[in-house]
């Protein structure tokens, strides 16, 4: 069984997806709402897969002072997951530990593999709404025979990183993530495999890639990430051509 660690932050304006608010028609509040929607969809995908869901949240002690609210970060993240799944009895929640994403991911993976003796651990962030049950289960199958499995995305990023053995995670997620992680795996003499490429959402350009895919799948009556797709349609987001240049617009 693979533990899927979703490294999540409380969806507070300006804290999550700051580049998206600066490069798209969405406000900081709407970008935070999109983050929450994607977090819900990822938790649903993990629940439907053969993996075990671990929500690794950033605690208030780890947040910049301006993003500490009246409601605790844990309570806010728990509320979102509860809304998505209808309950959290089968969900494990743990605070993140570490000063950087590489450190937080590495601490989670190393602890689970070495201290709890789980078979494999995967790290995902709530910014890949197309991640589905089949992707997670495909990666878990590969992890049975390969120590490291990566899900590549555009611009050298990764949306999924799975491990059967720990290694030195110092700066392991430095850009370009997919190349840096491969180098660390090679340094540790660990075999590496990949699953299907999917888009992540961090910028307006990323969202412009995702929106037509979601609208196309709705037209074709295919499966879509429910919460993310609903937000896209309610916000009136679409991609249009202006003198041959494609751009994200609102109705």
């Amino acid at each position: 069984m693979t533990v899927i660690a979703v490294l999540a932050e409380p969806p507070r304006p300006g804290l999550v997806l700051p580049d998206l608010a600066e490069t798209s028609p969405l406000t900081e509040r709407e970008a935070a709402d999109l983050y929450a929607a994607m977090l819900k969809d990822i938790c649903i995908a993990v629940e439907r897969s053969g993996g075990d869901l671990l929500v690794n949240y950033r605690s208030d002690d780890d947040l910049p002072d301006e993003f500490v609210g009246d409601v605790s970060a844990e309570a806010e993240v728990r509320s979102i997951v509860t809304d998505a799944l209808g309950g959290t009895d089968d969900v494990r929640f743990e605070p993140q530990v570490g000063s950087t994403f590489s450190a937080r991911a590495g601490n989670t993976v190393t602890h689970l593999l070495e201290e709890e003796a789980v078979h494999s651990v995967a790290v995902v962030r709530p910014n890949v709404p197309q991640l589905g049950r089949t992707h997670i289960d495909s990666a878990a199958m590969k992890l049975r025979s390969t120590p490291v499995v990566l899900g590549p995305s555009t611009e050298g990023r990764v949306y999924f990183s799975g491990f059967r053995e720990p290694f030195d995670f110092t700066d392991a997620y430095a850009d370009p993530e997919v190349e840096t992680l491969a180098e660390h795996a090679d340094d540790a003499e660990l075999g590496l495999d990949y699953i299907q490429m999917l888009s992540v959402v961090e910028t307006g350009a990323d969202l412009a890639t995702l929106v037509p895919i979601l609208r196309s799948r709705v037209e074709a009556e295919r499966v879509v990430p429910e919460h993310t797709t609903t937000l896209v349609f309610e916000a009136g987001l679409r991609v249009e051509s202006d003198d041959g240049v494609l751009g994200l617009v609102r109705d």
Side-chain angles (χ1 to χ4, degrees):
M1 189 77 71
T2 299
V3 175
I4 310 298
V6 179
L7 270 64
E9 300 183 340
R12 296 172 181 170
L15 173 66
V16 297
L17 303 178
D19 292 338
L20 181 61
E22 294 179 358
T23 57
S24 79
L26 298 182
T27 65
E28 288 187 343
R29 176 68 269 170
E30 290 169 327
D33 289 343
L34 176 61
Y35 183 94
M38 293 190 293
L39 174 57
K40 290 179 182 180
D41 286 329
I42 284 180
C43 289
I44 291 170
V46 176
E47 184 190 46
R48 292 174 177 172
S49 75
D52 290 332
L53 175 58
L54 165 62
V55 177
N56 244 181
Y57 61 89
R58 283 187 71 182
S59 66
D60 294 288
D61 293 340
D62 191 39
L63 296 175
D65 291 341
E66 63 267 29
F67 297 118
V68 176
D70 296 332
V71 179
S72 73
E74 178 183 0
E76 192 168 354
V77 171
R78 278 183 177 270
S79 176
I80 292 167
V81 177
T82 299
D83 186 49
L85 303 181
T88 57
D89 290 346
D90 297 326
V91 182
R92 178 176 172 181
F93 291 85
E94 295 287 348
Q96 297 176 18
V97 177
S99 59
T100 66
F101 184 83
S102 293
R104 293 190 284 269
N107 286 332
T108 295
V109 171
T110 302
H111 172 78
L112 289 169
L113 291 176
E114 294 188 342
E115 303 299 324
E116 299 192 17
V118 303
H119 174 268
S120 53
V121 183
V123 173
V124 300
R125 284 169 279 200
N127 65 350
V128 54
Q130 290 178 276
L131 180 65
R133 173 186 59 80
T134 55
H135 305 109
I136 296 169
D137 289 344
S138 173
M141 287 291 292
K142 289 179 180 289
L143 281 165
R144 293 182 181 181
S145 57
T146 308
V148 181
V149 174
L150 301 179
S153 187
T154 56
E155 299 182 359
R157 295 170 289 186
V158 297
Y159 68 87
F160 180 102
S161 44
F163 309 93
R164 209 177 68 219
E165 298 180 30
F167 56 59
D168 181 5
F169 279 89
T170 304
D171 298 326
Y173 287 85
D175 295 331
E177 292 177 337
V178 68
E179 183 176 352
T180 306
L181 284 164
E183 290 173 350
H184 279 245
D186 183 62
D187 289 343
E189 298 183 348
L190 299 176
L192 172 64
D193 204 349
Y194 300 87
I195 54 175
Q196 176 183 344
M197 177 179 281
L198 293 176
S199 298
V200 298
V201 178
E202 293 178 331
T203 67
D206 295 333
L207 189 56
T209 297
L210 176 69
V211 166
I213 295 173
L214 296 183
R215 286 186 168 274
S216 171
R217 292 185 69 87
V218 169
E219 288 290 337
E221 299 182 351
R222 302 296 296 274
V223 174
V224 293
E226 175 186 354
H227 297 281
T228 303
T229 304
T230 297
L231 187 145
V232 165
F233 275 78
E234 288 181 347
L237 294 172
R238 64 174 61 252
V239 171
E240 293 184 353
S241 176
D242 183 8
D243 292 331
V245 178
L246 293 176
L248 193 64
V249 300
R250 304 184 79 157
D251 291 336

